[in-house]
Amino acid sequence: MKPFIERLPVAEGNSFVANTHRTPRFEVPWHQHVEYELILITEGSGLSFIGNYVGEFKVGDIFFIGSNVPHTFKKENEQITSAVVVQFTDMFWGSDFLALPENKLLRDLLRLSMKGIKPEGRHKAALAKLIKKLEHCTGIVRISTLLECLSLLIEDENKTILSTNEMPVLNEKYQDRMDNIFKFTISNFQNPITLNEIASIANMTVTAFCFYFKKSTKKSYIEFLNEIRIGHACKLLQNTSKTVTEICYESGFNTAANFNKQFIKYKKSSPSHFRASFKEVKF
């Protein structure tokens, strides 16, 4: 997965970025940047890849991503997708601000963001409103609104920590190789993918590939592939009337037994219970 270095322009008179990015500007490859990123999804859905995390995203979701954490959001099908994106460095408010004793919890939050954070607590709706407000704020209100956003993230009692490990910046020697692995998997996860096949994409032996991928992402390739497939299955369970069996095969699994096993592993419930619980919440 080759992360390119993204640098969004900061408008004159501003010290950080707060803009809406909408298709086609929403679609970016696996990338990283020194800025911390607070993102609110306002249109569309799909799969998010943050560090070594793979999971769904949908309208209303919020992500807080640390400095240089590689990430991307892959939209579902050809739909329009957009998000309010806020980016700031840990130095934009000056070199001494974070060192203040009052900011201990803020320092802790920034460290935690190195694994990616998805807030789900009671402050989520208020946080979404503030992120939207940030795009239009000016002057000192802009600074105070960002601090209010970070304060709500600190107070959130139900944060989901996304990546299991902090992800190092990839060595330049291996960037193209990981990029090819990532692209091939996203394009072909609905079809059978053997270790021999993906290892050949990486131009490696199977043994060398398995060791390399585990060292780079802190998980096996099969785990990564199954996470992508389960994420796709969740979208079908939520948004279609297809049977669980149909969804099993459409998501790339070759047996119902393995599909159920993997679904329970990643979602802590069966596909049928997941669909039923989603309907209960939705309706």
Side-chain angles (χ1 to χ4, degrees):
M1 303 171 215
K2 179 182 178 181
F4 74 90
I5 306 300
E6 182 191 42
R7 291 185 173 86
L8 298 181
V10 179
E12 184 177 353
N14 292 333
S15 56
F16 63 90
V17 172
N19 292 320
T20 290
H21 293 257
R22 193 169 190 264
T23 298
R25 292 179 62 226
F26 178 89
E27 286 75 51
V28 292
W30 182 251
H31 68 289
Q32 63 186 96
H33 40 74
V34 298
E35 294 84 1
Y36 293 82
E37 181 167 287
L38 184 57
I39 179 167
L40 168 67
I41 305 296
T42 52
E43 292 179 274
S45 61
L47 289 176
S48 58
F49 302 82
I50 300 168
N52 70 348
Y53 166 82
V54 179
E56 307 155 71
F57 75 83
K58 60 185 182 303
V59 173
D61 282 344
I62 299 171
F63 299 88
F64 185 43
I65 304 170
S67 174
N68 279 321
V69 176
H71 58 282
T72 189
F73 295 84
K74 296 297 183 182
K75 68 179 182 178
E76 184 180 34
N77 303 321
E78 297 303 316
Q79 63 183 295
I80 299 295
T81 312
S82 67
V84 180
V85 178
V86 180
Q87 290 185 346
F88 61 94
T89 69
D90 57 3
M91 299 296 286
F92 89 90
W93 36 45
S95 58
D96 298 325
F97 179 77
L98 284 178
L100 295 172
E102 291 86 352
N103 284 331
K104 178 186 181 303
L105 293 179
L106 177 56
R107 294 193 298 271
D108 292 343
L109 176 71
L110 295 181
R111 280 193 292 268
L112 193 61
S113 73
M114 300 308 293
K115 293 186 177 182
I117 297 171
K118 186 179 181 184
E120 297 286 3
R122 57 192 172 89
H123 297 305
K124 183 179 175 181
L127 178 57
K129 290 181 180 178
L130 287 173
I131 293 172
K132 291 179 180 178
K133 177 182 175 183
L134 262 176
E135 187 171 13
H136 309 288
C137 288
T138 59
I140 194 171
V141 174
R142 199 165 186 267
I143 303 295
S144 63
T145 302
L146 176 58
L147 286 172
E148 193 172 353
C149 287
L150 297 174
S151 179
L152 289 181
L153 281 168
I154 290 169
E155 295 174 14
D156 190 286
E157 73 284 358
N158 193 21
K159 301 181 187 73
T160 299
I161 308 306
L162 302 178
S163 184
T164 58
N165 294 85
E166 292 186 18
M167 299 292 288
V169 178
L170 293 177
N171 186 301
E172 183 177 355
K173 177 181 177 182
Y174 302 116
Q175 288 182 348
D176 287 338
R177 176 181 290 164
M178 289 300 288
D179 192 38
N180 290 335
I181 293 168
F182 184 80
K183 289 178 179 178
F184 180 84
T185 305
I186 293 301
S187 298
N188 294 279
F189 73 87
Q190 291 174 283
N191 304 314
I193 299 177
T194 66
L195 285 176
N196 280 321
E197 186 176 17
I198 193 64
S200 69
I201 295 295
N203 197 27
M204 302 175 78
T205 67
V206 170
T207 301
F209 168 78
C210 290
F211 176 80
Y212 164 75
F213 193 88
K214 185 70 175 283
K215 182 179 179 181
S216 299
T217 66
K218 314 304 179 186
K219 65 176 66 174
S220 72
Y221 178 75
I222 297 302
E223 289 173 324
F224 173 73
L225 176 59
N226 281 337
E227 286 177 332
I228 293 174
R229 288 172 169 168
I230 292 299
H232 181 72
C234 287
K235 299 299 298 180
L236 296 179
L237 287 166
Q238 293 173 6
N239 300 320
T240 76
S241 58
K242 294 180 178 181
T243 67
V244 171
T245 300
E246 288 174 322
I247 290 171
C248 161
Y249 294 113
E250 188 170 331
S251 300
F253 292 95
N254 55 11
T255 69
N258 187 41
F259 174 55
N260 277 276
K261 178 182 177 181
Q262 297 303 324
F263 201 97
I264 291 170
K265 175 182 177 180
Y266 292 107
K267 294 299 179 180
K268 311 304 180 187
S269 74
S270 69
S272 297
H273 286 159
F274 177 87
R275 171 175 270 172
S277 63
F278 173 78
K279 287 182 177 179
E280 287 174 4
V281 172
K282 185 174 181 180
F283 300 110

